[in-house]
Amino acid sequence: MALSTKLVLDGALIVLLPPCLAWHLTGNLMHEWLGLAFVLVVLWHLWLNRRWFTALLRGRYNLLRRVNLLLTALLLTAFAGTLVSGVMLSRQVFDFLDLPLVPGMNRVHMAAVSLLQLTAALHFGLHFDGLCQRLRAKRQQGRVPGRAQKPRRAADNAQRPLLRAGLFMLLLGWAVFGLYQAGERMIFDKLFFQLEYPVFDFYESFAWSAFCQISLMQPFALTGVLLRRALTGRAQKSPVKKPGRAQC
């Protein structure tokens, strides 16, 4: 899949997710149409990544690949649960199906959406470094051959640790705020079927609602980034086994 197409898809999913979660601000009809648009973009994403599914039975499974497979299975389960429960609860876009009301479907939908939100954040974090590497590679390809690059100044090199420390503290503070919002919006109560109906703040602005929904995903995305780096570092440090030689 082309990098530009992947960026457009990821951007579309990020843009669509907050309004999909703001049923109390968009209204039911807009909520259902936005949900349908989100489903179509996800299906497009899956179609463009179909080679990943055909390669499941090939190659070795290290720990990182196993974690990725487990996370993808949870993400697909959450997506399927969100889609099925959303269609069954629909009373406008899919009203022509005339589906009966099923007791407890509200809880199933909230749990599936919560699982989708958290696993999507982990999935994004797990692939964040790979996306950055592809962007850097594309940037290197776009440079003019033979053109000298400006050397870094000593002052710039001295400031880099400070910038990294500042960025880390900013991300850490945002993660704490995200966990607070996860508790305030009862994401874990929804995940474990503890709520019969969602609780909304009908007086909040759409901008604040979108920021809070993205924020509660941030600590899980950050966890995905750190998990991949830990597993990648573990794989690089592990000794390479030579064939035909006994290991101590």
Side-chain angles (χ1 to χ4, degrees), residues 20 38 60 65 93-94 110 115 117 129 142 154 179 197 209 217 227 240 243:
C20 284
F38 185 84
R60 293 184 58 188
R65 193 178 181 190
V93 174
F94 294 99
M110 287 189 293
L115 182 61
Q117 198 173 359
D129 282 347
L179 290 175
Y197 296 101
S209 173
M217 296 173 66
L227 179 62
V240 179

Side-chain angles (χ1 to χ4, degrees), residues 192-204:
F192 296 107
F193 303 95
Q194 298 299 311
L195 289 182
E196 180 67 32
Y197 296 101
V199 179
F200 294 113
D201 180 5
F202 290 90
Y203 297 99
E204 67 179 353

Side-chain angles (χ1 to χ4, degrees), residues 140-166:
Q140 291 289 341
Q141 291 175 358
R143 290 179 176 174
V144 179
R147 185 176 179 180
Q149 302 296 324
K150 293 181 179 179
R152 293 183 180 273
R153 293 181 300 176
D156 295 337
N157 291 330
Q159 290 176 355
R160 290 184 68 183
L162 295 176
L163 291 174
R164 288 182 178 179

Side-chain angles (χ1 to χ4, degrees), residues 111-225:
V113 170
S114 300
L115 182 61
L116 178 66
Q117 198 173 359
L118 300 185
T119 52
L122 282 167
H123 178 78
F124 177 78
L126 205 63
H127 293 83
F128 179 76
D129 282 347
L131 179 61
C132 291
Q133 289 175 3
R134 292 180 65 183
L135 285 171
R136 283 194 292 266
K138 190 170 184 179
R139 184 181 177 186
Q140 291 289 341
Q141 291 175 358
R143 290 179 176 174
V144 179
R147 185 176 179 180
Q149 302 296 324
K150 293 181 179 179
R152 293 183 180 273
R153 293 181 300 176
D156 295 337
N157 291 330
Q159 290 176 355
R160 290 184 68 183
L162 295 176
L163 291 174
R164 288 182 178 179
L167 180 60
F168 176 77
M169 294 303 297
L170 180 64
L171 290 175
L172 188 61
W174 192 15
V176 172
F177 175 76
L179 290 175
Y180 170 77
Q181 283 300 316
E184 280 288 299
R185 293 172 189 269
M186 294 179 282
I187 193 81
F188 300 109
D189 293 324
K190 298 174 185 176
L191 184 62
F192 296 107
F193 303 95
Q194 298 299 311
L195 289 182
E196 180 67 32
Y197 296 101
V199 179
F200 294 113
D201 180 5
F202 290 90
Y203 297 99
E204 67 179 353
S205 66
F206 177 78
W208 177 250
S209 173
F211 175 70
C212 291
Q213 292 292 352
I214 294 297
S215 295
L216 71 85
M217 296 173 66
Q218 190 269 351
F220 300 94
L222 184 60
T223 300
V225 173

